[in-house]
Amino acid sequence: MTHALDNFLFTYQSLIYALGINSLLALSMYVVLAIGQLSLGQAAFMGLGAYASALLTAKFAIPFPLALIAAAAVPALLAFVIGAPTLRLSGVYLAIATIGVGEVLRIFYLNWDYAGGALGLNGIPEEAGFVWIFGVLAVALAGFAAIARSRIGRAMEAIRADEAAAGVMGVNLPVYKLAALVVSAAVAGVAGAFNAHVSSFIGPNEYGFDAAVTILSFALLGGIGSPFGPVLGALVLTALPEVLRPLHDYRLVINGLIIVCVVIFLPGGLLPWRLSRIGAPR
Amino acid sequence: MSKALLAVHDLTVRFGGLTALSGVTFAVEHGAVHGLIGPNGAGKTTAFNLISGMTSQTSGSVALAGAPLDGLPTYMRTARGLARTFQNIRMFRNMSALENVMAGAHLRTHERFRDILLRLPAFRAQETRAVARAREILDFVGLAHQAERPGGDLSYGEQRRLEIARALASEPKLLMLDEPAAGMNPSEKIDLIDLIGRLRARGLTLLLVEHDMHFVMKLCDRITVLNFGAKIAEGSPVDVRSDPTVIEAYLGSKSVRRPGAGA
């Protein structure tokens, strides 16, 4: 029994890790979408977490848990710096600014010889395993579900429904928007650290615009009525290319087709069910 | 300055070349029901947006209970005791009626982040209290039976009352209602008049914009009349109704010459 499980885990190890890591990325997207903002910088935040943690463990032999903290803190700091000016604007400005940040970072890694430049960073210790990835995912999922069912969750959904009206209800809009972006960057950074520490190699082109759109598609496919929707979306979209292996070259085409179909036929996503925003029995 | 709750002084706003409001001054007394009326485009909703902080003024000032509100964002004005509804209803459509009211109570619900994450008893107690309070308010506006339905699914008249409930949840000193009777049928209007009477009995001060003259004359203690962004008259309903400039603004100049129309 245990032997069969070990075999299964060994064969599908990288897929199983990807399921967990992509679920975390989907959650990081959820936090931003849940307040009606659109960020296309999740891949960049992920890359920053990956590079920050991988440099610490590979070059300085810093213990993995400490590197993980850095992987959350560095992207969070960047989100704070770019969020303060951009969140004052509304609509697509955050999306455009975050695309810009992603490109700047990608070109920076490409030219940063210390971090391997275009060749990428090698020899990262494979320290992130099943327990780390799914433990953090479970904690994050439980945390976001608890937050949704509270005063904060109500304010977040109010902002998404009608930002100006939420402001009139007393919701501190700048603080909420900035906090959502910072938390989202931290979660994406942790996912990036896991990604780096299961594959022993990272390169500058893994965290570009394509990756950002894929992360967005996880959340849109799953639905953002609850934190569970984006996770479901990530699981489906990560497993699908394996299931449809003969069509592997058409993976992005299918991704796009699925997003189009979901938008048309399932505007609420695969899991349109909405989590109640009240944390007490009624 | 008298001890007015809301003092609007020389309020002016220009949008490009258009002066939407020019030098408007009025005061709302504690416990009063104050009407803001005028023909279409007179600047009533603009005045509401300036007072609530959704638009910033070009010049002039707004003060609540003696403290200036100028430059404060909407959420800080709400913290100071201002609440409003909207002419074109702005419901949180997917949230239940109960959740809408609880969202309105944002500033009156105190939950610590750690308690929320760990779902500690302190958090649960706050939520239970917030639910009870929201139910009380829904009951007050006559929507107790609709608590679990999404706000967007309620009838038009019910959505107007839910907006009032949501605004009440912030425990305001001044409640501003932007055309509360718009689109209501006669029986809903009677219910609304009753509701406003009960709000007033609770000691709440109200400022309302309304087109239904019967409604305004029946409810208001004092009325400010705007036309083309300027104040043209102010006084009790009886004074305003017989004011020749007001009649001219609403009906045109010929009617002023009709015998018996003057004061």
Side-chain angles (χ1 to χ4, degrees), chain B residues 152-216:
Chain B
D153 286 2
L154 301 187
S155 77
Y156 197 76
E158 287 174 330
Q159 289 195 19
R160 289 229 171 266
R161 277 187 285 157
L162 181 54
E163 267 210 330
I164 293 175
R166 191 177 66 177
L168 281 176
S170 71
E171 297 172 18
K173 294 180 187 133
L174 175 70
L175 177 59
M176 313 203 312
L177 304 176
D178 197 348
E179 298 201 21
M184 281 191 171
N185 64 37
S187 91
E188 285 174 330
K189 277 186 191 176
I190 290 168
D191 288 348
L192 182 64
I193 288 172
D194 169 64
L195 173 60
I196 290 175
R198 285 184 291 131
L199 287 174
R200 162 184 224 166
R202 279 178 146 200
L204 199 64
T205 307
L206 287 118
L207 174 63
L208 56 98
V209 163
E210 189 46 65
H211 272 299
D212 185 324
M213 279 310 128
H214 173 71
F215 186 93
V216 171

Side-chain angles (χ1 to χ4, degrees), chain A residues 34-53:
Chain A
I35 60 153
Q37 297 281 320
L38 177 58
S39 156
L40 287 170
Q42 298 318 109
F45 294 135
M46 177 197 185
L48 203 52
Y51 267 94
S53 59

Side-chain angles (χ1 to χ4, degrees), chain B:
Chain B
M1 206 89 203
S2 69
K3 44 185 179 50
L5 179 60
L6 179 77
V8 173
H9 182 71
D10 202 17
L11 201 59
T12 300
V13 66
R14 292 188 197 90
F15 300 116
L18 175 80
T19 303
L21 213 59
S22 95
V24 170
T25 297
F26 66 91
V28 178
E29 298 298 325
H30 277 281
V33 176
H34 194 116
L36 196 59
I37 67 169
N40 285 328
K44 307 179 294 289
T45 295
T46 304
F48 258 43
N49 287 345
L50 289 170
I51 295 167
S52 61
M54 297 181 77
T55 316
S56 2
Q57 68 256 41
T58 310
S59 65
S61 69
V62 177
L64 187 72
L69 299 178
D70 309 310
L72 293 183
T74 48
Y75 60 89
M76 285 191 189
R77 295 182 194 220
T78 308
R80 297 279 185 90
L82 217 58
R84 70 168 290 182
T85 66
F86 300 92
Q87 183 184 346
N88 47 338
I89 300 172
R90 301 180 81 153
M91 198 50 53
F92 304 134
R93 300 188 63 88
N94 294 325
M95 299 173 79
S96 69
L98 191 65
E99 288 171 338
N100 263 280
V101 176
M102 290 175 78
H106 184 72
L107 292 171
R108 307 289 163 208
T109 319
H110 307 285
E111 297 171 355
R112 283 159 59 187
F113 191 63
R114 189 198 63 194
D115 297 352
I116 291 173
L117 277 183
L118 301 177
R119 298 184 62 77
L120 295 181
F123 161 73
R124 287 165 182 273
Q126 268 288 338
E127 286 286 284
T128 308
R129 215 170 307 146
V131 168
R133 180 91 188 91
R135 283 200 183 281
E136 219 174 89
I137 296 171
L138 280 176
D139 189 42
F140 183 79
V141 302
L143 287 175
H145 60 294
Q146 299 284 39
E148 306 301 332
R149 287 188 60 195
D153 286 2
L154 301 187
S155 77
Y156 197 76
E158 287 174 330
Q159 289 195 19
R160 289 229 171 266
R161 277 187 285 157
L162 181 54
E163 267 210 330
I164 293 175
R166 191 177 66 177
L168 281 176
S170 71
E171 297 172 18
K173 294 180 187 133
L174 175 70
L175 177 59
M176 313 203 312
L177 304 176
D178 197 348
E179 298 201 21
M184 281 191 171
N185 64 37
S187 91
E188 285 174 330
K189 277 186 191 176
I190 290 168
D191 288 348
L192 182 64
I193 288 172
D194 169 64
L195 173 60
I196 290 175
R198 285 184 291 131
L199 287 174
R200 162 184 224 166
R202 279 178 146 200
L204 199 64
T205 307
L206 287 118
L207 174 63
L208 56 98
V209 163
E210 189 46 65
H211 272 299
D212 185 324
M213 279 310 128
H214 173 71
F215 186 93
V216 171
M217 294 299 164
K218 185 162 178 153
L219 276 173
C220 296
D221 311 305
R222 201 168 174 80
I223 295 172
T224 300
V225 190
L226 300 180
N227 194 23
F228 294 119
K231 181 166 98 172
I232 58 169
E234 190 172 77
S236 68
V238 179
D239 293 344
V240 164
R241 187 157 39 186
S242 52
D243 189 311
T245 44
V246 175
I247 296 166
E248 189 180 330
Y250 271 93
L251 300 174
S253 55
K254 262 190 169 168
S255 61
V256 179
R257 288 204 288 273
R258 225 183 255 165

